[in-house]
Structures are given as C-alpha cells and as structure tokens.
Amino acid sequence: MADVLMIIDMQNGVCRSSEPLVNLTQVISGIKERIDIYRSQNKPVIFVQHNDKDLVKNGYNWKIIDDFKVASHDILIQKSHANSFYHTDLQKMLDKHGIRSIEICGAQVEFCVDTTIKMAHGLGYHLEMVRGLTTTTPNQLMTAQQMINFYQDQIWDHRFLKFIEPHNKN
C-alpha cells in the first residue's frame, strides 16, 4: 500500500459531461473502495481538481462528484495544467508529510493522469495503480477502452508504475 491515494479530476464537469467516460460506474466503485482502505489505515487521500474556463473554481463542474465524500482531513490540490505538480503545492505537501509512494487513479488517462504519473516518476516517487481505476473518452484514433489498455499495458506498466491487486493492503 502506498503512502497516499491520489484521485485526479473526478469532478462533475469531467465525469458528468456530455461525453461519457468509459466504465465510470466501475471506476467510481473501485476508487470508493480504495478511499475506504486508505482511511481505515489512517493514510492520506488527495483529491486533485482541475481549474479552467469549463471547471471554474467553486462552480458545479469544478466540484468533486458526490459519489466521493471529501473528508475534512483530505488534501485538496488545485491545478490549472495537466501536470498536478505544475504551479501547485503538491510536491511541497508530499515532502512535508514524508510521502515517497503514491497510488494514482482518476480521469482522464491520456491527459492529467498520464502527465502526473510521468512527472511523479521523474521526481522519484514510487507509483502504484489498481488496474481499471482510470477512465477517459474515445478519440479519433482509439476507443476509450483501447486507450486505457494502451496506457496501462504499453506505457505505464513496469516503466512508470507497478500495478497492484485491489485486495492488496500492503
């Protein structure tokens, strides 16, 4: 089990937009299970929220989806770039808490999730992920599921992160 669980961009404007995210119900359910595990171990949970012209801070689209109950002790990181570390206090907060390993999940695979994974890896963090706890939309080249599989199997696995089994608590 990593030192912290990081949930990227699971916001109304991302998850409830006109372009549906693939496997959203399963992703939400799996992330909720991971949140429960981290909280039961008194480990921190970080919610990363994107801010832009479509995800305006404090607006409905910007808010974390209601499926996740953000606790008062959860950490909220505000970003305006695909890289969760860029012009945020994320690294400072991780360093302050002595965090060296991060479990990552969320949306969207080819944008904010991938960029944050690569940056965190480059900064020396040990990264973990439960397979299937990321989501995205299709594009002109791939279906959403093809894209998820491509990033999980061809890009991230054994290069940037380690996949763990959902029942693995260590």
Side-chain angles (χ1 to χ4, degrees):
M1 179 177 224
D3 297 332
V4 68
L5 175 65
M6 183 186 302
I7 302 157
I8 300 174
D9 296 350
M10 294 298 286
Q11 297 163 258
N12 289 320
V14 176
C15 298
R16 308 288 189 223
S17 72
S18 59
E19 181 97 37
L21 297 172
V22 71
N23 304 325
L24 183 60
T25 302
Q26 296 90 330
V27 170
I28 290 170
S29 175
I31 292 174
K32 285 170 71 173
E33 288 176 15
R34 300 308 293 163
I35 290 170
D36 289 345
I37 290 168
Y38 274 79
R39 288 182 178 155
S40 75
Q41 299 291 318
N42 294 314
K43 292 189 177 233
V45 174
I46 299 172
F47 288 94
V48 178
Q49 289 174 281
H50 197 87
N51 298 269
D52 63 21
K53 65 179 177 56
D54 297 318
L55 302 168
V56 178
K57 189 170 184 174
N58 297 319
Y60 173 80
N61 286 342
W62 169 83
K63 292 179 181 176
I64 302 294
I65 58 174
D66 287 340
D67 302 82
F68 304 130
K69 304 304 177 208
V70 179
S72 60
H73 58 275
D74 290 338
I75 299 163
L76 299 173
I77 299 293
Q78 303 303 311
K79 68 178 179 65
S80 58
H81 188 274
N83 176 355
S84 297
F85 290 89
Y86 183 74
H87 289 231
T88 71
D89 61 353
L90 178 57
Q91 186 175 8
K92 181 179 174 183
M93 184 280 311
L94 294 172
D95 291 345
K96 176 183 169 187
H97 289 87
I99 293 170
R100 297 306 315 150
S101 62
I102 306 168
E103 180 178 331
I104 296 179
C105 56
Q108 280 186 259
V109 166
E110 71 278 27
F111 298 118
C112 300
V113 175
D114 180 60
T115 304
T116 299
I117 285 171
K118 289 174 179 171
M119 185 67 192
H121 179 268
L123 292 170
Y125 293 99
H126 171 78
L127 304 175
E128 297 178 354
M129 180 180 282
V130 172
R131 194 174 293 279
L133 294 190
T134 59
T135 184
T136 196
T137 57
N139 65 30
Q140 297 169 347
L141 301 174
M142 290 188 234
T143 67
Q145 191 59 56
Q146 286 172 328
M147 192 164 343
I148 291 167
N149 294 344
F150 175 75
Y151 276 88
Q152 286 184 158
D153 299 335
Q154 302 299 314
I155 305 291
W156 300 334
D157 193 19
H158 299 296
R159 289 181 181 88
F160 295 98
L161 58 77
K162 174 184 173 185
F163 281 98
I164 58 172
E165 295 299 319
H167 61 274
N168 184 356
K169 297 182 184 180
N170 296 325

